[in-house]
Every structure is written in C-alpha cells, then in structure tokens.
C-alpha cells in the first residue's frame, strides 16, 4: 500500500498545477501523482492556440463573459463564467512565475491572438505550442518539489469507495479513499490510500475514430467516477474542432489551430467558395459548433472529403513566427502554405461535460475533487469557447487546492481498505478482441453520433454500445486487468453516457439532432 495525503490522477495542466500548488503551500504534505503514460503525455501537451485571458485595457471581463455565454448557447452557469474570467489574470501571473513563457509583441506586451467566438484579441500563447510550454515548465517545478512523487506509467483502474469496504455499501453519501492503480511496468496493482483525491484524467476523444486527442484520452476519469456513483453532467456536448488536418491515415489528427483563422485564413470548398458567409456573419470566426456544422453540411452537399484552409494571402514571415509547428507539419507533407491550401475536416476535440463539480472542484463524492477536461464546472455550457479550457483547468485546480487544504486536517486515512481483489484469472493470449472492439466502438460513435445526429442513429448506437458493454464486462470479469482492457471498458462507458443523449429534447450548442428541428 502507498499512503498519501493527496493523490492526483493525471499529469496535464489540471493535475500538475494542483499538485504543485498544494505541495508548495505545505512542505509536510505527501503528494502522489499517478499518470498512465510518460509524465508529459496529455491533451495539454498538444494545446496550440493558447489561454484566453483579459489583459488588454481595450478588452474587459464583461466582453469575455459575454463571448463565453454566447458560445455556450444558454447552458453556461453565469456565476461560474464570471468567476473563471475574473480569476484568469492571477492564474496567468502564477504560471509565468512557474516559468511558462508567452510571446510578446514589439512593444514588449503580451501578444494576443484571436480565435472563433471571441470578440477581441485575448489569446495568450507560446507560438503554436502553448500546451507543451506549460506542461514542460510545470514538470520542471514538480521535479524540484521534494514532497511530490510522480509515478509515471501508473494506470488508475478504479476509485476506492465504501463499495470496496463492504459489498453492502448502501450509504447515500459516498467517500473516496484513494484508488487502485496498475503499475504498468511491473504488472502489480497497488492500493494508493489518500485523504483527498484529485481526478484530473482529461478528455475522451478516443471514443471516436477521428480526434485531435492523443491515445491517452480514453475517458478514464469520467468512467471511474461514474462507476463510483459520482454525478456526471452535460456529457452529450461533444465538441468537434472545425479544422483538423485531413490526412485519413494519420491518427490522432493534427490540429490546425483556430488562431490561424484568427490571423485571417479563409475556409473554402474544393470549388473555391468561401461558404461561411451563408452560415454566420462572423464568417470563419463564428464559434466552433457553427463552423464545424457548416463544414459538415458543405461536405455532405458537395460529396467532398475535405474543405480547404486558405492562408495564401497572409504574411508568411508573421505566420512562421506565430505558427512554426503548423508550418513545418504542412511542409513535411508537401504543403507550402504560401502556395497551397491546407485540406481540413472537423474532428472530435473536447468534452464539455464530465464529472459534476461545485466552485471548489468538489464532486458529489466526499474527498473526491476533479479539475480540467474530465470535470463539468458549468463554464462551457453546450459549447466551449476556444482557449477557455486550459484556463478552466488552472482556475479550478487553484480553487480545489484551497478547499483541500482546508479539509485535510479533519480527514484520517481509512484503515480497512482491502487490496485489489483480482477476480479474473485469464491473461488473454490475443489482444485482437480488445483492439477489434475498440475500433468497432469508434466506428459506431463516428458513424452514428457525429456532428448531426438523428433519433434512429442514436438509438442504434445506444443498442450497439450496450452489446459491446455486455461482451466486454464478461471478458473483464474473467481476465487479469490490463491497460488495454480497462481503457476499452472506459471508452464503452463514456460512449454509453454520450448515447443516452437521446433524452436531450433541445438542440443546443454542439448537440444537434435533425429530428428535433
Ligand atoms: P490532460 O491534459 O488531458 O491530462 C490528463 C492526464 O491524465 C494525462 O496525463 C493522462 O495520461 C492522465 N490519465 C488519464 N487517464 C488516466 C488513468 N486512468 N490513470 C492515470 N492517469 C490517467 N485548450 C485551450 O484552452 N487552448 C488551446 O489552445 C487548446 N488546444 C488544444 C489542442 C489540441 C490538439 C487538443 C487535443 C486540445 C486542446 N485544448 C486547448 C484543450 C486542452 O488542451 C485540454 O482540455 C486541457 O489541456 C485538459 O487538461 P487536463 O489536465 O484536464 O487533461
Ligand atoms: C486551437 O488552437 O484551435 C485549439 C484551441 C482550443 O481548443 O481551445
């Protein structure tokens, strides 16, 4: 058994900033981070555009609040939106203090990019690799902080609650005592007991065949919380990014940042039409739900496989300075953005919903907190405004840290938690069943639960996902646990929750069912 004051699951912006803050505030606390791959692997690592923060005098908190509310299509919690927007400058100051470097303009002020749905330039960025910069600088600080232990290649299987203490747990209010974690290299399952647990497992893009999310984004946090009986909310709001590079053989999809459109790039059909004028007065800088749906409509109408991002008219020197990563990626596949247009398609990008939390990141389970993409705070409503996600992670990790600090002295480690009870005995000789089911699930979700949904397709998806659920539960019951099997199980749980959106009665934000028209 491993004992910790605080267990953090996940090492993206949410998990790392939370761990750092709580460990730095009290050097006597023992903080353990369990993360399933390398410490640096996460959605955070791939974030391009930046962080939305009001820093310019010509901008205002009110402008940022209104842009967020409009993008969220009436589903945001306005008090949460105000709180996050107003706390943003402090969090920016803090990550700069931790070493994160952001681009400056020629006057030495922060260079502010623009993205869809924003009425002002307010995206603070590090070229087009903002997430990598943040992740690396946070990891450097983590390594220097003696009371943090980072366990990489440690996969959290399940949260520990009263259900593991007694099979008859009937309590209405459950408590989290830590997690069962698989040491991927040794194959051992460790019990990590903690007074407070922070669930920061990121997104679920891998539920779909085409996503900008890396392989680790398998909805583990949401699925673990659901099994532990935490409240999950708004999970039907799956956001598609309008402009992922169209390279069907490449997975995950490479993102062409929305900030490129912020610099003035156009979207055209194969025949050259700048079609956004038919859909929204903000043209290419309408919010993501609108641009992604417009592209989907055009592709279906014209029978094309992709649309094109036209950057030919942009100043190349400036483009290379702001977007060196995108420029190089395009060149590597023979696209010179000064001469050629970039083929793009929408791809699954972000989960607006997740584990429901209050303003301190407290979930419906005692001593279990959640921050970042796997949580649902009320900030995004039915459609996240661009670059509000890293911001949400930093603000909620900071707030959770304060709340956890308050309650820690009152919590004792539980003494009667049993070790992991491995029911299964079989180690599947072939992984093909698992990989086949993962592909099948991704095909079901991509074909039936895409940008435009219908009752019939949702019903079929729900039924097929349930079939896979039964098959995989049976396999899980008799097999020794493995990362592949646990991830498949979690992807199925996340899909099951998404396809329940059949109950959604209104089209809002990213949720669009043609039968509700
Ligand atoms: P993540 O960064 O995804 O971290 C989750 C961590 O949990 C990972 O370390 C993962 O390995 C670990 N983990 C998962 N499951 C387990 C488990 N079972 N056991 C142990 N560890 C586990 N947002 C913006 O605001 N601005 C942007 O410019 C931007 N650009 C983006 C570009 C791309 C290509 C992508 C994919 C996303 C982008 N986003 C952007 C969204 C944003 O990056 C994420 O929402 C945000 O980084 C999430 O942070 P997080 O800490 O919650 O999760
Ligand atoms: C992008 O750079 O387009 C991604 C921004 C985001 O997801 O917020």
């Amino acid at each position: 058994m491993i004992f910790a004051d605080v267990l953090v699951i996940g090492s993206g912006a949410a998990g790392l900033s939370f761990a750092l803050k709580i460990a730095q505030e009290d050097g006597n606390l023992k903080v353990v981070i369990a993360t399933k791959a390398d410490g640096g692997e996460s959605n955070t690592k791939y974030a391009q555009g930046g962080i939305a923060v009001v820093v310019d005098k010509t901008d205002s908190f009110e402008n940022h609040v209104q842009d967020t509310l409009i993008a969220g299509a009436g589903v945001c919690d306005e008090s949460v939106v105000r709180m996050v927007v107003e706390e943003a400058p402090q969090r920016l100051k803090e990550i700069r203090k931790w070493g994160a470097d952001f681009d400056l303009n020629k006057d030495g002020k922060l260079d502010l990019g623009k993205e869809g749905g924003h009425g002002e330039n307010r995206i603070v960025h590090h070229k087009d690799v903002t997430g990598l910069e943040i992740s690396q600088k946070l990891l450097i600080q983590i390594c220097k902080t003696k009371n943090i232990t980072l366990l990489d290649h440690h996969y959290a299987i399940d949260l520990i609650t009263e259900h593991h203490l007694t099979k008859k747990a009937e309590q209405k209010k459950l408590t989290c005592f830590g997690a069962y974690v698989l040491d991927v290299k040794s194959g051992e399952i460790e019990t990590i007991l903690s007074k407070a647990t922070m669930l920061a497992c990121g997104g679920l893009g891998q539920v779909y065949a085409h996503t900008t999310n890396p392989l680790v984004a398998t909805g583990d946090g949401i699925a673990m919380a659901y099994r532990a009986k935490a409240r999950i909310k708004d999970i039907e709001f799956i956001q598609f990014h309008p402009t992922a590079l169209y390279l069907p053989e490449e997975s995950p999809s490479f993102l062409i940042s929305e900030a490129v459109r912020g610099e003035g790039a156009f979207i055209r059909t194969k025949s050259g039409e700048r079609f956004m004028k038919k859909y929204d007065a903000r043209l290419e800088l309408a919010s993501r739900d609108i641009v992604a749906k417009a592209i989907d409509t055009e592709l279906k109408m014209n029978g094309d496989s992709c649309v094109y991002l036209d950057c030919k008219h942009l100043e190349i020197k400036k483009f290379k300075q702001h977007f060196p990563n995108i420029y190089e990626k395009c060149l590597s596949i023979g696209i010179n953005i000064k001469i050629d247009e970039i083929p793009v398609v929408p791809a699954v990008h972000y989960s607006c919903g997740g584990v429901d939390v209050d303003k301190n990141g407290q979930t419906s389970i005692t001593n279990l907190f959640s921050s970042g993409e796997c949580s649902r705070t009320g900030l995004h409503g039915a459609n996240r405004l661009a670059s509000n996600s890293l911001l949400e992670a930093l603000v909620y990790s900071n707030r959770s840290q304060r709340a956890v600090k308050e309650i820690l002295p009152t919590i004792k480690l539980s003494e009667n938690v049993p070790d992991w009870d491995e029911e299964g005995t079989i180690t599947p000789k072939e992984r093909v069943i698992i990989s086949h089911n993962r592909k099948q699930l991704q095909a079901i979700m991509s074909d039936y639960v895409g940008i435009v949904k219908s009752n019939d397709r949702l019903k079929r998806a729900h039924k097929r996902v349930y079939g896979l659920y039964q098959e995989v539960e049976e396999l899980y019951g008799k097999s020794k646990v493995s990362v592949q099997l646990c991830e498949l199980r979690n992807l199925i749980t996340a899909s099951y929750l998404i396809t329940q959106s059949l109950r959604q009665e209104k089209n809002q934000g990213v949720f669009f069912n043609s039968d509700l028209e």
Side-chain angles (χ1 to χ4, degrees):
M1 274 196 193
I2 297 175
F3 298 95
D5 290 296
V6 182
L7 168 64
V8 182
I9 308 176
S11 60
L16 293 177
S17 63
F18 172 84
L20 193 55
K21 199 82 201 273
I22 196 136
Q24 283 185 344
E25 289 233 342
D26 183 348
N28 292 318
L29 292 181
K30 185 175 172 197
V31 179
V32 172
I33 304 174
T35 192
K36 72 179 180 183
D38 286 339
E41 187 58 359
S42 59
N43 275 5
T44 299
K45 177 179 170 186
Y46 300 94
Q48 294 187 351
I51 312 179
V53 190
V54 173
V55 287
D56 200 279
K57 289 208 172 62
T58 58
D59 197 2
S60 70
F61 288 150
E62 192 56 32
N63 288 344
H64 189 181
V65 166
Q66 289 310 323
D67 289 345
T68 304
L69 292 174
I70 292 167
V75 184
C76 302
D77 177 336
E78 188 170 337
S79 66
V80 165
V81 175
R82 288 192 183 281
M83 180 187 88
V84 172
V85 164
E86 288 172 17
E87 291 184 13
Q90 283 162 279
R91 303 284 65 83
L92 176 65
K93 202 167 153 195
E94 188 168 60
I95 44 166
R96 292 181 89 184
K97 193 187 81 198
W98 284 329
D101 185 29
F102 297 99
D103 293 354
L104 304 178
N105 62 23
K106 56 182 178 343
D107 301 325
K109 293 188 176 153
L110 283 166
D111 184 55
L112 302 174
K114 195 168 187 190
E115 293 183 13
H118 288 273
E120 305 286 335
N121 281 48
R122 65 168 74 95
I123 315 298
V124 176
H125 60 94
H126 179 99
K127 304 194 187 325
D128 55 355
V129 286
T130 310
L132 183 64
E133 171 67 11
I134 293 172
S135 164
Q136 285 177 341
K137 296 295 162 63
L138 284 172
L139 281 166
I140 290 173
Q141 295 298 330
I142 295 276
C143 290
K144 285 189 200 156
T145 310
K146 297 222 164 24
N147 54 329
I148 300 179
T149 308
L150 193 151
L151 301 173
D152 58 6
H153 301 280
H154 277 65
Y155 180 92
I157 303 169
D158 261 322
L159 297 167
I160 304 170
T161 62
E162 281 81 356
H163 292 284
H164 297 94
L165 270 49
T166 157
K167 297 263 181 253
K168 288 191 215 127
E170 290 293 339
Q171 286 98 320
K172 285 210 173 70
K173 184 79 182 153
L174 293 165
T175 310
C176 179
F177 305 113
Y180 292 116
V181 175
L182 171 67
D183 176 342
V184 180
K185 289 186 176 159
S186 73
E188 296 293 317
I189 296 170
E190 284 157 2
T191 306
I192 305 188
L193 286 187
S194 56
K195 293 179 182 168
T197 303
M198 162 54 75
L199 195 60
C201 294
L204 49 68
Q206 287 292 323
V207 157
Y208 286 80
H210 302 290
T211 175
T212 61
N213 290 193
L215 290 173
V216 292
T218 50
D220 296 345
I222 292 167
M224 276 191 280
Y226 178 70
R227 280 195 295 275
K229 309 223 174 322
R231 196 168 48 239
I232 311 292
K233 228 169 156 181
D234 290 349
I235 192 85
E236 64 276 23
F237 298 126
I238 299 294
Q239 183 175 69
F240 286 69
H241 196 292
T243 55
L245 183 62
Y246 177 65
L247 267 186
E249 67 280 13
E250 190 172 88
S251 176
S253 305
F254 182 84
L255 185 73
I256 307 292
S257 174
E258 202 156 284
V260 172
R261 277 175 278 135
E263 285 290 330
F266 303 144
I267 311 178
R268 298 186 189 280
T269 57
K270 193 174 176 186
S271 63
E273 188 194 0
R274 216 182 134 193
F275 57 89
M276 275 311 298
K277 61 182 181 298
K278 294 191 291 196
Y279 298 92
D280 196 285
R282 293 168 292 176
L283 306 173
E284 283 85 355
L285 285 177
S287 54
R288 269 178 205 173
D289 52 337
I290 294 168
V291 182
K293 188 156 158 276
I295 295 176
D296 188 68
T297 307
E298 291 292 321
L299 293 180
K300 284 184 176 137
M301 219 158 54
N302 302 325
D304 294 335
S305 312
C306 61
V307 291
Y308 295 86
L309 201 60
D310 179 359
C311 307
K312 297 196 295 282
H313 55 290
L314 302 181
E315 199 191 308
I316 186 82
K317 193 172 158 220
K318 211 169 152 210
F319 189 98
K320 278 161 87 173
Q321 251 165 19
H322 191 161
F323 306 111
N325 184 38
I326 293 173
Y327 180 78
E328 287 302 327
K329 175 70 185 183
C330 288
L331 265 194
S332 76
I333 54 164
I335 294 171
N336 178 348
I337 63 112
K338 197 63 203 158
I339 305 166
D340 310 304
E341 294 177 354
I342 311 172
V344 289
V345 281
V348 166
H349 186 62
Y350 186 79
S351 165
C352 299
V355 185
D356 194 31
V357 293
D358 70 10
K359 284 185 179 143
N360 291 322
Q362 168 73 64
T363 70
S364 57
I365 295 184
T366 304
N367 302 340
L368 178 67
F369 290 76
S370 184
S371 173
E373 189 166 341
C374 70
S375 69
R376 180 270 178 202
T377 63
L379 174 68
H380 310 308
N383 174 48
R384 172 172 70 91
L385 181 67
S387 287
N388 265 356
S389 169
L390 288 169
L391 174 61
E392 180 192 51
L394 295 172
V395 168
Y396 270 82
S397 288
N398 179 63
R399 296 187 71 85
S400 305
Q401 174 275 137
R402 289 201 319 237
V404 169
K405 198 175 113 188
E406 283 285 304
I407 60 166
L408 274 182
T410 66
I411 310 170
K412 275 202 178 131
L413 284 175
S414 178
E415 283 171 0
N416 49 356
V417 172
D419 275 332
W420 175 258
D421 181 10
E422 180 82 283
E423 284 172 17
T425 50
I426 302 168
T427 305
K429 285 203 186 68
E430 293 180 324
R431 295 256 156 83
V432 65
I433 305 172
I434 299 172
S435 61
H436 173 82
N437 278 354
R438 184 163 169 152
K439 280 190 208 135
Q440 221 185 348
L441 179 77
Q442 290 172 332
I444 295 168
M445 293 301 286
S446 301
D447 292 345
Y448 291 155
V449 197
I451 294 175
V452 174
K453 300 162 206 18
S454 72
N455 285 343
D456 189 36
R457 274 183 264 138
L458 282 174
K459 233 183 253 164
R460 275 164 192 262
H462 200 59
K463 201 166 146 200
R464 301 230 168 134
V465 169
Y466 188 67
L468 282 175
Y469 164 77
Q470 287 174 312
E471 200 178 310
V472 170
E473 279 308 297
E474 195 190 321
L475 184 65
Y476 187 82
K478 59 186 186 201
S479 305
K480 282 189 177 298
V481 289
S482 66
V483 172
Q484 291 85 349
L485 185 55
C486 290
E487 283 188 344
L488 174 62
R489 192 173 179 231
N490 291 336
L491 287 165
I492 290 173
T493 301
S495 306
Y496 180 79
L497 291 168
I498 297 166
T499 56
Q500 273 188 334
S501 58
L502 191 58
R503 295 193 196 133
Q504 175 89 349
E505 282 164 6
K506 250 202 313 200
N507 285 332
Q508 289 163 311
V510 294
F511 182 86
F512 183 80
N513 177 343
S514 53
D515 289 320
L516 295 176
E517 275 285 83

